[in-house]
Amino acid sequence: MQIIFQDPYASLNPRMRIRQILGEALDTHGMATGKARRQARIAELLDLVGLRPEYADRYPHEFSGGQRQRIGVARALAVEPGFIVADEPLSALDVSIQAQVVNLLCDLKDRLGLTMLFISHDLDVVEFLCDRVIVLYLGKIMEIAPTEILYRHPRHPYTQALLAASPVPDPAQRLDNRPLLTGDIPSPANPPSGCVFRTRCPRAQAACAQTIPPLIEVAPEHWKACLRDNLPTPLT
Ligand code: SF4
């Protein structure tokens, strides 16, 4: 397992050349031993993420934000992981650069058969990149579903509010009856009793303060943690 960090301006050692940064991962795991194999693997990794192999002798400050994140991706790939945690890998990048990194991750996922846990607040990117979505609120799972189902038929009040708040190109097309959330997120150190979403939920009822909603499969591969209408959908 490997991780791609959020901020490529903080996750690369400024005193190390790219060759050392990538080589360190290989050395630590005893991979690509011997000078020739090590150099070849570093060149291969840079090529894999769309950077020229001759960049290996540069320092991080000589790269743009998008290029730095590509180096972070190459470092994660160095040890041939089967699973990558990508922790908000786009949030520190300019919007114009984000699409390049998204396409790179998408391409690598398909080419290398990676499983990736992609953490993001960007609903459009999640829809584009992910096969399955887990919606969290205050660290608790609210809903799990295949991406297409979740975006077309969100069942949890929080997911519905999230999707309704997502910007649309033409605001005139927005439905007037979209559920809007009010108030602030409670402190994770002192979460509400029962359902953690209840202080902002437009559908909250008295029982929501008493009972922690269990995560229930309400349709095939579709899970929801909500006390209302939480009966399994009959299969037709
Ligand atoms: S359990 Fe209650 S408060 Fe929580 S999401 Fe469902 S209706 Fe809202």
Short mmCIF file of all heavy atoms in Angstrom, two decimals, residues 135-175:
data_model
loop_
_atom_site.label_atom_id
_atom_site.label_comp_id
_atom_site.label_asym_id
_atom_site.label_seq_id
_atom_site.Cartn_x
_atom_site.Cartn_y
_atom_site.Cartn_z
N VAL A 135 -19.79 8.13 1.32
CA VAL A 135 -20.02 9.51 1.79
C VAL A 135 -19.85 9.54 3.30
O VAL A 135 -20.48 8.76 4.02
CB VAL A 135 -21.45 9.96 1.41
CG1 VAL A 135 -21.70 11.39 1.92
CG2 VAL A 135 -21.66 9.89 -0.09
N LEU A 136 -18.96 10.43 3.75
CA LEU A 136 -18.67 10.54 5.19
C LEU A 136 -19.18 11.87 5.73
O LEU A 136 -19.13 12.89 5.04
CB LEU A 136 -17.16 10.48 5.43
CG LEU A 136 -16.42 9.19 5.08
CD1 LEU A 136 -14.93 9.39 5.26
CD2 LEU A 136 -16.90 8.04 5.94
N TYR A 137 -19.62 11.84 6.98
CA TYR A 137 -19.94 13.08 7.69
C TYR A 137 -19.43 12.91 9.11
O TYR A 137 -19.75 11.92 9.78
CB TYR A 137 -21.45 13.33 7.68
CG TYR A 137 -21.86 14.62 8.37
CD1 TYR A 137 -21.80 15.83 7.70
CD2 TYR A 137 -22.29 14.62 9.69
CE1 TYR A 137 -22.18 17.01 8.32
CE2 TYR A 137 -22.66 15.80 10.32
CZ TYR A 137 -22.60 16.99 9.62
OH TYR A 137 -22.97 18.17 10.24
N LEU A 138 -18.62 13.83 9.56
CA LEU A 138 -17.98 13.74 10.88
C LEU A 138 -17.32 12.38 11.09
O LEU A 138 -17.37 11.81 12.17
CB LEU A 138 -19.00 13.97 12.00
CG LEU A 138 -19.29 15.43 12.39
CD1 LEU A 138 -20.16 15.46 13.64
CD2 LEU A 138 -18.02 16.22 12.64
N GLY A 139 -16.71 11.88 10.05
CA GLY A 139 -15.97 10.62 10.16
C GLY A 139 -16.84 9.38 10.16
O GLY A 139 -16.32 8.27 10.29
N LYS A 140 -18.14 9.53 10.00
CA LYS A 140 -19.04 8.36 9.97
C LYS A 140 -19.56 8.13 8.55
O LYS A 140 -19.84 9.10 7.83
CB LYS A 140 -20.25 8.58 10.89
CG LYS A 140 -19.90 8.86 12.33
CD LYS A 140 -19.38 7.63 13.03
CE LYS A 140 -19.11 7.92 14.49
NZ LYS A 140 -18.16 6.95 15.08
N ILE A 141 -19.73 6.86 8.22
CA ILE A 141 -20.26 6.53 6.89
C ILE A 141 -21.76 6.82 6.84
O ILE A 141 -22.51 6.34 7.68
CB ILE A 141 -19.99 5.06 6.53
CG1 ILE A 141 -18.49 4.80 6.42
CG2 ILE A 141 -20.70 4.69 5.22
CD1 ILE A 141 -18.14 3.35 6.15
N MET A 142 -22.16 7.63 5.87
CA MET A 142 -23.58 7.94 5.69
C MET A 142 -24.19 7.06 4.59
O MET A 142 -25.32 6.62 4.69
CB MET A 142 -23.76 9.41 5.28
CG MET A 142 -23.23 10.43 6.29
SD MET A 142 -24.30 10.59 7.73
CE MET A 142 -23.26 9.93 9.02
N GLU A 143 -23.42 6.86 3.52
CA GLU A 143 -23.98 6.12 2.38
C GLU A 143 -22.84 5.52 1.56
O GLU A 143 -21.77 6.12 1.44
CB GLU A 143 -24.82 7.08 1.51
CG GLU A 143 -25.58 6.39 0.40
CD GLU A 143 -26.68 7.27 -0.20
OE1 GLU A 143 -26.84 8.43 0.24
OE2 GLU A 143 -27.38 6.79 -1.11
N ILE A 144 -23.08 4.36 1.01
CA ILE A 144 -22.14 3.70 0.09
C ILE A 144 -22.94 3.21 -1.11
O ILE A 144 -23.99 2.59 -0.93
CB ILE A 144 -21.45 2.46 0.73
CG1 ILE A 144 -20.77 2.82 2.05
CG2 ILE A 144 -20.45 1.84 -0.24
CD1 ILE A 144 -20.21 1.61 2.79
N ALA A 145 -22.43 3.48 -2.30
CA ALA A 145 -23.13 2.98 -3.50
C ALA A 145 -22.21 3.07 -4.70
O ALA A 145 -21.26 3.87 -4.71
CB ALA A 145 -24.40 3.80 -3.75
N PRO A 146 -22.49 2.28 -5.73
CA PRO A 146 -21.79 2.49 -7.00
C PRO A 146 -22.02 3.93 -7.46
O PRO A 146 -23.12 4.49 -7.24
CB PRO A 146 -22.45 1.48 -7.94
CG PRO A 146 -23.01 0.42 -7.03
CD PRO A 146 -23.41 1.14 -5.78
N THR A 147 -21.02 4.51 -8.09
CA THR A 147 -21.05 5.95 -8.38
C THR A 147 -22.32 6.38 -9.12
O THR A 147 -22.98 7.35 -8.73
CB THR A 147 -19.81 6.34 -9.21
OG1 THR A 147 -18.67 5.88 -8.50
CG2 THR A 147 -19.74 7.83 -9.42
N GLU A 148 -22.64 5.66 -10.18
CA GLU A 148 -23.78 6.10 -11.00
C GLU A 148 -25.07 6.09 -10.18
O GLU A 148 -25.90 7.01 -10.27
CB GLU A 148 -23.90 5.19 -12.22
CG GLU A 148 -24.80 5.79 -13.26
CD GLU A 148 -24.92 4.90 -14.49
OE1 GLU A 148 -24.07 4.00 -14.68
OE2 GLU A 148 -25.88 5.11 -15.25
N ILE A 149 -25.23 5.07 -9.37
CA ILE A 149 -26.46 4.96 -8.56
C ILE A 149 -26.50 6.08 -7.52
O ILE A 149 -27.52 6.73 -7.30
CB ILE A 149 -26.53 3.57 -7.90
CG1 ILE A 149 -26.73 2.51 -8.97
CG2 ILE A 149 -27.64 3.52 -6.86
CD1 ILE A 149 -26.71 1.09 -8.45
N LEU A 150 -25.34 6.33 -6.88
CA LEU A 150 -25.31 7.35 -5.84
C LEU A 150 -25.64 8.74 -6.40
O LEU A 150 -26.39 9.51 -5.80
CB LEU A 150 -23.94 7.39 -5.16
CG LEU A 150 -23.92 8.31 -3.96
CD1 LEU A 150 -23.77 7.49 -2.68
CD2 LEU A 150 -22.82 9.34 -4.04
N TYR A 151 -25.11 9.05 -7.59
CA TYR A 151 -25.35 10.38 -8.15
C TYR A 151 -26.76 10.52 -8.72
O TYR A 151 -27.32 11.60 -8.72
CB TYR A 151 -24.30 10.70 -9.23
CG TYR A 151 -23.00 11.20 -8.63
CD1 TYR A 151 -22.13 10.34 -7.96
CD2 TYR A 151 -22.65 12.54 -8.69
CE1 TYR A 151 -20.96 10.79 -7.39
CE2 TYR A 151 -21.47 13.00 -8.12
CZ TYR A 151 -20.63 12.12 -7.48
OH TYR A 151 -19.46 12.58 -6.90
N ARG A 152 -27.33 9.40 -9.19
CA ARG A 152 -28.68 9.49 -9.75
C ARG A 152 -29.75 9.34 -8.69
O ARG A 152 -30.80 9.97 -8.76
CB ARG A 152 -28.85 8.38 -10.79
CG ARG A 152 -28.22 8.71 -12.11
CD ARG A 152 -29.12 8.22 -13.23
NE ARG A 152 -28.31 7.97 -14.41
CZ ARG A 152 -28.52 6.97 -15.22
NH1 ARG A 152 -29.47 6.11 -14.98
NH2 ARG A 152 -27.78 6.82 -16.29
N HIS A 153 -29.49 8.46 -7.71
CA HIS A 153 -30.51 8.17 -6.71
C HIS A 153 -29.92 8.23 -5.30
O HIS A 153 -29.86 7.19 -4.62
CB HIS A 153 -31.13 6.80 -6.96
CG HIS A 153 -31.69 6.63 -8.33
ND1 HIS A 153 -32.81 7.31 -8.76
CD2 HIS A 153 -31.26 5.89 -9.39
CE1 HIS A 153 -33.06 6.98 -10.02
NE2 HIS A 153 -32.13 6.13 -10.42
N PRO A 154 -29.47 9.39 -4.87
CA PRO A 154 -28.95 9.46 -3.50
C PRO A 154 -30.07 9.21 -2.51
O PRO A 154 -31.18 9.73 -2.68
CB PRO A 154 -28.42 10.91 -3.41
CG PRO A 154 -29.21 11.67 -4.41
CD PRO A 154 -29.51 10.70 -5.52
N ARG A 155 -29.80 8.43 -1.48
CA ARG A 155 -30.87 8.08 -0.54
C ARG A 155 -30.70 8.74 0.81
O ARG A 155 -31.67 8.87 1.54
CB ARG A 155 -30.92 6.57 -0.36
CG ARG A 155 -31.37 5.83 -1.60
CD ARG A 155 -31.58 4.37 -1.26
NE ARG A 155 -32.02 3.62 -2.42
CZ ARG A 155 -33.02 2.75 -2.38
NH1 ARG A 155 -33.68 2.55 -1.27
NH2 ARG A 155 -33.35 2.07 -3.46
N HIS A 156 -29.49 9.08 1.16
CA HIS A 156 -29.28 9.67 2.48
C HIS A 156 -29.49 11.19 2.41
O HIS A 156 -29.04 11.82 1.44
CB HIS A 156 -27.86 9.35 2.96
CG HIS A 156 -27.65 9.63 4.40
ND1 HIS A 156 -27.47 10.90 4.89
CD2 HIS A 156 -27.62 8.80 5.48
CE1 HIS A 156 -27.33 10.84 6.20
NE2 HIS A 156 -27.41 9.58 6.59
N PRO A 157 -30.13 11.80 3.42
CA PRO A 157 -30.35 13.26 3.37
C PRO A 157 -29.05 14.06 3.19
O PRO A 157 -29.07 15.09 2.52
CB PRO A 157 -31.00 13.56 4.72
CG PRO A 157 -31.66 12.29 5.12
CD PRO A 157 -30.78 11.19 4.59
N TYR A 158 -27.96 13.58 3.77
CA TYR A 158 -26.71 14.33 3.62
C TYR A 158 -26.21 14.26 2.17
O TYR A 158 -25.80 15.26 1.60
CB TYR A 158 -25.66 13.80 4.59
CG TYR A 158 -24.34 14.53 4.46
CD1 TYR A 158 -24.28 15.92 4.54
CD2 TYR A 158 -23.15 13.85 4.23
CE1 TYR A 158 -23.09 16.61 4.41
CE2 TYR A 158 -21.95 14.53 4.10
CZ TYR A 158 -21.92 15.90 4.19
OH TYR A 158 -20.74 16.58 4.05
N THR A 159 -26.25 13.07 1.58
CA THR A 159 -25.82 12.94 0.18
C THR A 159 -26.70 13.80 -0.72
O THR A 159 -26.21 14.47 -1.64
CB THR A 159 -25.91 11.46 -0.27
OG1 THR A 159 -25.32 10.63 0.72
CG2 THR A 159 -25.21 11.26 -1.59
N GLN A 160 -27.98 13.80 -0.45
CA GLN A 160 -28.90 14.61 -1.27
C GLN A 160 -28.54 16.10 -1.16
O GLN A 160 -28.51 16.82 -2.16
CB GLN A 160 -30.34 14.37 -0.81
CG GLN A 160 -30.83 12.98 -1.15
CD GLN A 160 -32.12 12.59 -0.44
OE1 GLN A 160 -32.59 13.32 0.44
NE2 GLN A 160 -32.68 11.44 -0.78
N ALA A 161 -28.23 16.55 0.06
CA ALA A 161 -27.88 17.96 0.24
C ALA A 161 -26.54 18.29 -0.41
O ALA A 161 -26.37 19.35 -1.01
CB ALA A 161 -27.84 18.28 1.74
N LEU A 162 -25.59 17.35 -0.30
CA LEU A 162 -24.27 17.56 -0.93
C LEU A 162 -24.42 17.74 -2.43
O LEU A 162 -23.87 18.69 -3.02
CB LEU A 162 -23.40 16.33 -0.69
CG LEU A 162 -22.40 16.29 0.44
CD1 LEU A 162 -21.57 15.02 0.31
CD2 LEU A 162 -21.50 17.50 0.44
N LEU A 163 -25.14 16.83 -3.05
CA LEU A 163 -25.28 16.89 -4.51
C LEU A 163 -26.07 18.12 -4.93
O LEU A 163 -25.78 18.74 -5.95
CB LEU A 163 -25.96 15.61 -5.03
CG LEU A 163 -25.12 14.34 -4.87
CD1 LEU A 163 -25.91 13.11 -5.30
CD2 LEU A 163 -23.83 14.44 -5.69
N ALA A 164 -27.04 18.50 -4.12
CA ALA A 164 -27.84 19.69 -4.45
C ALA A 164 -27.00 20.96 -4.36
O ALA A 164 -27.27 21.94 -5.05
CB ALA A 164 -29.04 19.79 -3.51
N ALA A 165 -25.97 20.95 -3.51
CA ALA A 165 -25.13 22.14 -3.33
C ALA A 165 -24.01 22.22 -4.37
O ALA A 165 -23.31 23.22 -4.45
CB ALA A 165 -24.52 22.12 -1.93
N SER A 166 -23.84 21.16 -5.15
CA SER A 166 -22.76 21.16 -6.14
C SER A 166 -23.07 22.18 -7.24
O SER A 166 -24.19 22.25 -7.73
CB SER A 166 -22.65 19.75 -6.75
OG SER A 166 -21.59 19.70 -7.66
N PRO A 167 -22.09 23.01 -7.61
CA PRO A 167 -22.35 24.03 -8.63
C PRO A 167 -22.77 23.42 -9.96
O PRO A 167 -22.31 22.34 -10.33
CB PRO A 167 -20.99 24.74 -8.78
CG PRO A 167 -20.22 24.38 -7.57
CD PRO A 167 -20.71 23.04 -7.13
N VAL A 168 -23.68 24.10 -10.65
CA VAL A 168 -24.09 23.66 -12.00
C VAL A 168 -23.75 24.79 -12.97
O VAL A 168 -23.75 25.97 -12.59
CB VAL A 168 -25.60 23.34 -12.06
CG1 VAL A 168 -25.93 22.13 -11.23
CG2 VAL A 168 -26.42 24.53 -11.62
N PRO A 169 -23.44 24.45 -14.24
CA PRO A 169 -23.05 25.49 -15.19
C PRO A 169 -24.12 26.57 -15.35
O PRO A 169 -23.81 27.75 -15.49
CB PRO A 169 -22.83 24.71 -16.49
CG PRO A 169 -22.55 23.32 -16.05
CD PRO A 169 -23.33 23.10 -14.80
N ASP A 170 -25.39 26.17 -15.37
CA ASP A 170 -26.47 27.13 -15.54
C ASP A 170 -27.34 27.14 -14.27
O ASP A 170 -28.16 26.24 -14.08
CB ASP A 170 -27.32 26.73 -16.75
CG ASP A 170 -28.46 27.72 -16.97
OD1 ASP A 170 -28.53 28.72 -16.22
OD2 ASP A 170 -29.27 27.48 -17.89
N PRO A 171 -27.18 28.15 -13.40
CA PRO A 171 -27.95 28.17 -12.15
C PRO A 171 -29.45 28.17 -12.38
O PRO A 171 -30.21 27.75 -11.51
CB PRO A 171 -27.50 29.48 -11.49
CG PRO A 171 -26.19 29.79 -12.12
CD PRO A 171 -26.26 29.26 -13.52
N ALA A 172 -29.91 28.62 -13.56
CA ALA A 172 -31.35 28.64 -13.83
C ALA A 172 -31.93 27.23 -13.86
O ALA A 172 -33.12 27.03 -13.68
CB ALA A 172 -31.62 29.34 -15.16
N GLN A 173 -31.04 26.24 -14.10
CA GLN A 173 -31.52 24.86 -14.16
C GLN A 173 -31.65 24.23 -12.79
O GLN A 173 -32.11 23.10 -12.66
CB GLN A 173 -30.56 24.02 -15.00
CG GLN A 173 -30.60 24.39 -16.46
CD GLN A 173 -29.68 23.51 -17.28
OE1 GLN A 173 -28.88 22.76 -16.73
NE2 GLN A 173 -29.78 23.62 -18.58
N ARG A 174 -31.20 24.96 -11.76
CA ARG A 174 -31.26 24.36 -10.44
C ARG A 174 -32.69 24.30 -9.94
O ARG A 174 -33.46 25.22 -10.12
CB ARG A 174 -30.41 25.18 -9.46
CG ARG A 174 -30.34 24.49 -8.13
CD ARG A 174 -29.48 25.15 -7.13
NE ARG A 174 -28.08 25.30 -7.44
CZ ARG A 174 -27.18 24.32 -7.38
NH1 ARG A 174 -27.54 23.10 -7.12
NH2 ARG A 174 -25.91 24.58 -7.60
N LEU A 175 -33.02 23.17 -9.31
CA LEU A 175 -34.37 23.02 -8.77
C LEU A 175 -34.53 23.90 -7.55
O LEU A 175 -33.64 24.00 -6.71
CB LEU A 175 -34.61 21.56 -8.39
CG LEU A 175 -34.50 20.55 -9.54
CD1 LEU A 175 -34.61 19.14 -9.00
CD2 LEU A 175 -35.56 20.82 -10.59
#
